[in-house]
Amino acid sequence: SVTDIFYGSLKRLAGALGTLKLVFMINEASQLSQRYQELGIVLNIVGKNAGLMKSEVDATTEAVRKQGISMIESRQIVTRMIQSQIDLSKATELARLAQDAAVIGQINSSEALDRLVFGITSAQVEVLRGIGINVSFEQSYTKLAKEIGVTQNALTEQQKLQARLNVVLDEASKITG
Protein backbone atom coordinates (compact mmCIF):
# COMPACT_ATOMS: atom_id res chain seq x y z
CA SER A 1 0.00 0.00 0.00
CA VAL A 2 0.98 3.65 -0.36
CA THR A 3 1.20 4.01 3.44
CA ASP A 4 3.65 1.10 3.70
CA ILE A 5 5.78 2.55 0.90
CA PHE A 6 5.72 5.98 2.57
CA TYR A 7 6.71 4.61 6.01
CA GLY A 8 9.37 2.39 4.46
CA SER A 9 10.86 5.37 2.65
CA LEU A 10 10.69 7.44 5.81
CA LYS A 11 12.52 4.73 7.77
CA ARG A 12 15.27 4.52 5.10
CA LEU A 13 15.61 8.31 5.13
CA ALA A 14 15.85 8.39 8.93
CA GLY A 15 18.48 5.64 8.80
CA ALA A 16 20.48 7.54 6.18
CA LEU A 17 20.31 10.75 8.24
CA GLY A 18 21.38 8.88 11.35
CA THR A 19 24.34 7.38 9.50
CA LEU A 20 25.30 10.78 8.13
CA LYS A 21 25.18 12.32 11.61
CA LEU A 22 27.32 9.49 12.97
CA VAL A 23 29.93 10.10 10.23
CA PHE A 24 30.02 13.81 11.13
CA MET A 25 30.41 13.00 14.83
CA ILE A 26 33.27 10.56 14.15
CA ASN A 27 34.97 13.16 11.95
CA GLU A 28 34.61 15.84 14.63
CA ALA A 29 35.96 13.51 17.34
CA SER A 30 38.92 12.68 15.13
CA GLN A 31 39.66 16.37 14.54
CA LEU A 32 39.44 17.15 18.26
CA SER A 33 41.75 14.27 19.08
CA GLN A 34 44.24 15.47 16.49
CA ARG A 35 44.06 19.03 17.87
CA TYR A 36 44.63 17.75 21.42
CA GLN A 37 47.71 15.80 20.27
CA GLU A 38 49.07 18.82 18.38
CA LEU A 39 48.61 21.04 21.45
CA GLY A 40 50.48 18.45 23.51
CA ILE A 41 53.46 18.68 21.16
CA VAL A 42 53.38 22.49 21.21
CA LEU A 43 53.04 22.52 25.01
CA ASN A 44 56.03 20.22 25.43
CA ILE A 45 58.20 22.30 23.10
CA VAL A 46 57.23 25.59 24.76
CA GLY A 47 57.82 24.06 28.19
CA LYS A 48 61.19 22.68 27.18
CA ASN A 49 62.23 26.03 25.69
CA ALA A 50 61.28 27.70 28.99
CA GLY A 51 63.43 25.22 30.90
CA LEU A 52 60.51 23.39 32.50
CA MET A 53 60.37 19.66 33.09
CA LYS A 54 57.71 17.74 31.14
CA SER A 55 56.38 16.27 34.38
CA GLU A 56 55.84 19.78 35.80
CA VAL A 57 54.03 20.95 32.66
CA ASP A 58 51.87 17.80 32.55
CA ALA A 59 51.01 18.10 36.26
CA THR A 60 49.99 21.73 35.80
CA THR A 61 47.85 20.90 32.79
CA GLU A 62 46.14 18.09 34.68
CA ALA A 63 45.53 20.31 37.74
CA VAL A 64 43.92 22.94 35.51
CA ARG A 65 41.79 20.29 33.80
CA LYS A 66 40.60 19.01 37.18
CA GLN A 67 39.20 22.48 37.88
CA GLY A 68 36.63 21.93 35.13
CA ILE A 69 38.64 23.30 32.22
CA SER A 70 38.37 21.35 28.97
CA MET A 71 41.28 19.14 27.94
CA ILE A 72 42.08 21.23 24.88
CA GLU A 73 41.68 24.55 26.69
CA SER A 74 43.87 23.40 29.59
CA ARG A 75 46.73 22.73 27.17
CA GLN A 76 46.18 26.05 25.39
CA ILE A 77 46.08 28.03 28.63
CA VAL A 78 49.18 26.40 30.13
CA THR A 79 51.03 27.03 26.86
CA ARG A 80 49.98 30.68 26.94
CA MET A 81 51.00 30.97 30.60
CA ILE A 82 54.46 29.57 29.85
CA GLN A 83 54.88 31.87 26.86
CA SER A 84 53.82 34.86 28.96
CA GLN A 85 56.07 33.78 31.84
CA ILE A 86 53.19 33.54 34.29
CA ASP A 87 54.12 31.50 37.34
CA LEU A 88 52.71 28.01 36.71
CA SER A 89 52.18 27.49 40.42
CA LYS A 90 49.28 29.96 40.08
CA ALA A 91 47.55 28.02 37.29
CA THR A 92 45.24 26.05 39.58
CA GLU A 93 44.34 29.17 41.54
CA LEU A 94 43.48 30.96 38.29
CA ALA A 95 41.40 27.98 37.12
CA ARG A 96 39.50 28.00 40.42
CA LEU A 97 38.87 31.74 40.04
CA ALA A 98 37.64 31.08 36.49
CA GLN A 99 34.84 28.88 37.82
CA ASP A 100 33.38 31.77 39.82
CA ALA A 101 34.10 34.33 37.09
CA ALA A 102 32.29 32.10 34.59
CA VAL A 103 29.05 32.43 36.54
CA ILE A 104 29.34 36.21 36.58
CA GLY A 105 30.27 36.41 32.91
CA GLN A 106 27.64 33.82 31.92
CA ILE A 107 30.24 31.77 30.06
CA ASN A 108 31.90 28.42 30.64
CA SER A 109 34.92 28.13 32.92
CA SER A 110 37.30 27.43 30.02
CA GLU A 111 36.34 30.73 28.38
CA ALA A 112 36.59 32.54 31.73
CA LEU A 113 40.12 31.21 32.28
CA ASP A 114 41.08 32.27 28.78
CA ARG A 115 39.80 35.79 29.53
CA LEU A 116 41.64 35.89 32.86
CA VAL A 117 44.96 34.97 31.29
CA PHE A 118 44.39 37.32 28.35
CA GLY A 119 43.41 40.19 30.64
CA ILE A 120 46.49 39.68 32.80
CA THR A 121 48.96 39.28 29.94
CA SER A 122 47.55 42.13 27.84
CA ALA A 123 46.87 44.44 30.80
CA GLN A 124 43.28 44.97 29.63
CA VAL A 125 41.12 45.56 32.69
CA GLU A 126 37.99 45.76 30.51
CA VAL A 127 38.35 42.07 29.66
CA LEU A 128 38.45 41.26 33.36
CA ARG A 129 35.55 43.52 34.31
CA GLY A 130 33.27 41.50 32.07
CA ILE A 131 33.79 38.53 34.38
CA GLY A 132 33.53 40.38 37.67
CA ILE A 133 37.21 41.19 38.28
CA ASN A 134 37.53 44.92 39.01
CA VAL A 135 41.17 45.87 39.40
CA SER A 136 43.51 48.79 38.83
CA PHE A 137 46.76 47.69 37.30
CA GLU A 138 48.28 51.12 37.89
CA GLN A 139 47.68 50.76 41.62
CA SER A 140 49.19 47.27 41.55
CA TYR A 141 52.32 48.65 39.89
CA THR A 142 52.59 51.40 42.52
CA LYS A 143 52.17 48.87 45.33
CA LEU A 144 54.83 46.53 43.94
CA ALA A 145 57.26 49.38 43.26
CA LYS A 146 56.87 50.56 46.86
CA GLU A 147 57.38 46.99 48.17
CA ILE A 148 60.65 46.51 46.30
CA GLY A 149 61.88 50.08 46.77
CA VAL A 150 61.89 51.38 43.21
CA THR A 151 59.85 53.84 41.19
CA GLN A 152 56.96 52.57 39.12
CA ASN A 153 58.87 53.51 35.96
CA ALA A 154 61.72 51.24 37.04
CA LEU A 155 59.51 48.11 37.03
CA THR A 156 60.31 45.56 34.34
CA GLU A 157 57.57 44.11 32.15
CA GLN A 158 57.92 40.82 34.05
CA GLN A 159 57.43 42.63 37.37
CA LYS A 160 54.36 44.40 35.99
CA LEU A 161 52.97 41.05 34.83
CA GLN A 162 53.51 39.66 38.33
CA ALA A 163 51.77 42.71 39.84
CA ARG A 164 48.78 42.17 37.52
CA LEU A 165 48.61 38.46 38.41
CA ASN A 166 48.79 39.25 42.13
CA VAL A 167 46.04 41.87 42.05
CA VAL A 168 43.73 39.59 40.03
CA LEU A 169 44.26 36.72 42.47
CA ASP A 170 43.68 39.11 45.40
CA GLU A 171 40.31 40.02 43.89
CA ALA A 172 39.28 36.35 43.76
CA SER A 173 37.94 36.40 47.32
CA LYS A 174 35.39 39.05 46.30
CA ILE A 175 33.67 36.77 43.79
CA THR A 176 34.27 33.36 45.37
CA GLY A 177 31.24 31.24 45.99
Side-chain angles (χ1 to χ4, degrees), residues 36 55 57-75 77-78 91-99 109-110 113:
Y36 181 75
S55 59
V57 172
D58 290 345
T60 301
T61 305
E62 182 61 17
V64 169
R65 189 196 61 74
K66 285 183 177 179
Q67 292 298 319
I69 307 302
S70 75
M71 292 170 56
I72 287 176
E73 189 70 22
S74 65
R75 283 188 169 179
I77 289 294
V78 173
T92 305
E93 201 173 340
L94 279 171
R96 215 173 298 121
L97 172 56
Q99 291 175 325
S109 56
S110 295
L113 181 56

Side-chain angles (χ1 to χ4, degrees), residues 102-115:
V103 175
I104 293 168
Q106 298 180 358
I107 54 177
N108 67 48
S109 56
S110 295
E111 174 68 20
L113 181 56
D114 187 52
R115 288 187 191 182

Side-chain angles (χ1 to χ4, degrees), residues 10-12 21 24 26 56-57 61 65 71 80 87-88 94 97 108 111 114 117 135 137-138 142 145 152 154 162 174:
L10 198 55
K11 285 180 184 178
R12 285 191 295 281
K21 183 164 178 88
F24 283 132
I26 290 170
E56 179 184 2
V57 172
T61 305
R65 189 196 61 74
M71 292 170 56
R80 193 170 308 124
D87 182 0
L88 285 188
L94 279 171
L97 172 56
N108 67 48
E111 174 68 20
D114 187 52
V117 172
V135 294
F137 289 146
E138 288 301 316
T142 302
Q152 184 176 334
Q162 188 62 47
K174 294 179 181 175

